[in-house]
Amino acid sequence: MNKVSFILILGFASLVTACKSGVNHQTKSTASNNLLEERYKMLLDYPVDSMSMPRSMNIKTNEIRKVPSRDWTSGFFAGNLWHLYQLTGDSKYKEQAQKWTPFSKKESVNSNSHDVGFKVFCSFGEALKVENKKEYEAVIIKGAETLCTRFNPKVGSIRSWDFNKEIWDYPVIIDNMMNLELLFEASKLSGNPKYRDIAIQHANTTLKNQFREDNSCYHVIDYNPNTGEVRKKTTLQGFNDDSVWARGQGWAVYGFTMSYRYTKDPAYLKQAEATAKFFMTNKNLPEDGIPYWDLKDPAIPNSPRDVSAAMVMASGLYELYTYTNNKSYLAFADKLMASVQTEKYILDSKIKAPFLFDHSTGNWPKHDEIDEPIIYADYYFLEALLRKK
Ligand code: GLY
């Protein structure tokens, strides 16, 4: 798609939302498009170094947090460049994407956490959508092989983390659903059913244990690795064990919708829809739909938002709509997308940094990345824009 059609699509999406709310849109949407276009270019201007990738930014100190390849977010910068190339057709984004995709390659053999999926698939997986290269396929298959070393058949799950060993025996987090895409895709590419089989077992175990009666999900389930029994249903990044960590709900909706894409298992679709409905109708959701970081934070409405949770949800809902034809998912995703494409959420153009949006929350209990630009919010926004197209 060329740049002109891209701007037209963006403009149209904003215009539709604007007309619905009765505001004078044309002026408003054009202004937002211009703001976003300026921000896109900043990804090209950013002087990446060969040792680190940008992850987030402290607006008060103007400091950009940079991470090595072992960080779970290391594949998103290259992924954003691939998305921007697909959206704009501008070869400058492709050149930079090609340059920075190999940054996370060595993570395809790092079995220290489940995040190999995020690190490898958000970069190499996006690259493969644009360029059909055997070397990209090889990294994806290697990454899947590595991820499978963390699978315990007794539990029927991939172990997410190795830290906090004094508290947990075998922690599995809802985020882990996202890493299954690497496995499903690796089976398609290699013809080896092992990766897909493990992904299905993991999804089935998650389906059984990770959800509450109301279809919200727990963040962490700790298992007994010898018997497979659930030891504890708990959290690390939520307000408390029984709260509703917003990004976790996004990972669940996106993860089960994606798993349905590869398996056509109706139980996955049912769960994705149930969690989507729980989220969309939540009484603690603000007017513009961009959730507080945890929907049970007692400080609501004086609680930080999480744009990243909204964007993961929007991208997931666009896909969910394609399998269900339920227009409420489409309308809600459109609403989230319209909300963020405004001055309130687009990062101030005076701030020269490779990020698009402000107001994401990384890890509230650790007081880490609160109400800041965080790279994965941009990643799922751009993906949602492509899906909308
Ligand atoms: N996967 C880590 C997070 O969502 O913060």
Side-chain angles (χ1 to χ4, degrees):
M1 181 170 58
N2 64 29
K3 199 167 174 177
V4 175
S5 3
F6 169 58
I7 293 169
L8 283 175
I9 285 173
L10 263 185
F12 180 70
S14 312
L15 194 62
V16 169
T17 322
C19 290
K20 279 185 189 155
S21 61
V23 191
N24 174 357
H25 275 297
Q26 199 132 25
T27 334
K28 206 173 160 188
S29 67
T30 310
S32 303
N33 292 349
N34 291 344
L35 288 177
L36 263 178
E37 288 259 302
E38 272 188 63
R39 295 238 57 96
Y40 293 163
K41 293 197 194 99
M42 287 189 212
L43 270 72
L44 295 175
D45 297 342
Y46 176 71
V48 190
D49 67 69
S50 58
M51 301 304 286
S52 63
M53 282 289 136
R55 168 175 164 146
S56 59
M57 183 177 194
N58 183 327
I59 297 287
K60 291 184 198 103
T61 62
N62 245 7
E63 216 173 311
I64 292 178
R65 178 168 173 189
K66 299 173 184 178
V67 291
S69 66
R70 67 173 175 277
D71 189 271
W72 78 277
T73 64
S74 67
F76 289 122
F77 185 69
N80 284 348
L81 292 163
W82 285 117
H83 283 153
L84 282 168
Y85 172 64
Q86 290 177 77
L87 285 162
T88 65
D90 184 339
S91 59
K92 288 201 206 79
Y93 292 111
K94 185 174 166 184
E95 283 156 27
Q96 288 304 305
Q98 286 166 328
K99 188 168 172 191
W100 294 115
T101 294
F103 183 81
S104 58
K105 181 178 174 184
K106 70 174 192 237
E107 297 308 312
S108 63
V109 292
N110 179 357
S111 61
N112 283 353
S113 90
H114 71 126
D115 287 326
V116 57
F118 280 113
K119 292 183 268 195
V120 166
F121 203 71
C122 297
S123 49
F124 285 89
E126 284 309 303
L128 196 58
K129 283 183 193 159
V130 177
E131 300 181 312
N132 201 4
K133 287 191 181 167
K134 285 281 168 220
E135 60 195 86
Y136 296 155
E137 290 187 14
V139 176
I140 289 168
I141 295 164
K142 176 63 80 183
E145 196 60 53
T146 301
L147 186 54
C148 288
T149 63
R150 300 184 63 81
F151 180 73
N152 174 338
K154 199 82 203 168
V155 178
S157 249
I158 295 161
R159 181 185 183 117
S160 299
W161 292 325
D162 293 343
F163 58 84
N164 271 0
K165 282 195 168 137
E166 63 292 352
I167 305 176
W168 300 319
D169 282 348
Y170 195 97
V172 177
I173 65 174
I174 190 65
D175 323 28
N176 208 332
M177 283 300 299
M178 300 297 285
N179 294 317
L180 305 187
E181 191 166 3
L182 175 77
L183 300 182
F184 284 124
E185 206 54 44
S187 273
K188 274 176 72 178
L189 293 171
S190 66
N192 183 347
K194 175 177 112 174
Y195 315 121
R196 175 190 163 88
D197 290 348
I198 286 180
I200 289 172
Q201 287 185 66
H202 182 97
N204 290 344
T205 305
T206 304
L207 195 60
K208 190 167 146 216
N209 297 321
Q210 204 107 18
F211 291 91
R212 305 185 179 102
E213 286 266 297
D214 63 6
N215 288 302
S216 66
C217 63
Y218 289 94
H219 182 207
V220 184
I221 306 294
D222 187 34
Y223 292 93
N224 178 327
N226 302 315
T227 64
E229 274 166 0
V230 172
R231 287 187 65 235
K232 196 166 165 42
K233 300 193 176 197
T234 180
T235 196
L236 187 75
Q237 283 167 253
F239 185 82
N240 62 31
D241 291 351
D242 300 319
S243 71
V244 177
W245 178 47
R247 195 161 57 253
Q249 314 312 305
W251 294 144
V253 170
Y254 188 120
F256 276 97
T257 305
M258 174 271 294
S259 298
Y260 177 78
R261 183 201 317 155
Y262 288 100
T263 61
K264 299 295 170 223
D265 184 334
Y268 297 167
L269 196 63
K270 194 169 163 218
Q271 188 60 62
E273 289 202 80
T275 304
K277 280 177 191 149
F278 167 86
F279 185 89
M280 295 187 323
T281 57
N282 193 283
K283 67 175 175 32
N284 282 342
L285 215 51
E287 183 88 352
D288 66 4
I290 309 302
Y292 301 104
W293 73 278
D294 189 305
L295 290 169
K296 281 195 174 171
D297 180 356
I300 289 173
N302 302 311
S303 178
R305 304 288 189 97
D306 184 8
V307 168
S308 78
M311 295 300 95
V312 173
M313 187 61 81
S315 192
L317 288 176
Y318 279 138
E319 183 169 18
L320 188 57
Y321 166 70
T322 65
Y323 305 133
T324 57
N325 242 350
N326 182 332
K327 288 211 166 53
S328 71
Y329 305 141
L330 184 63
F332 196 84
D334 281 347
K335 172 179 159 156
L336 295 176
M337 294 295 277
S339 292
V340 292
Q341 291 177 74
T342 55
E343 272 187 56
K344 177 174 176 189
Y345 291 102
I346 298 172
L347 188 57
D348 189 328
S349 59
K350 288 196 283 300
I351 298 173
K352 306 293 175 219
F355 305 110
L356 309 181
F357 297 104
D358 199 350
H359 307 302
S360 288
T361 295
N363 193 334
W364 188 89
K366 262 181 80 184
H367 310 290
D368 189 25
E369 296 175 327
I370 312 295
D371 201 17
E372 288 186 0
I374 305 184
I375 195 159
Y376 42 87
D378 303 345
Y379 179 91
Y380 291 102
F381 164 77
L382 293 170
E383 183 185 74
L385 214 50
L386 280 163
R387 288 181 170 188
K388 170 76 179 164
K389 182 164 72 80

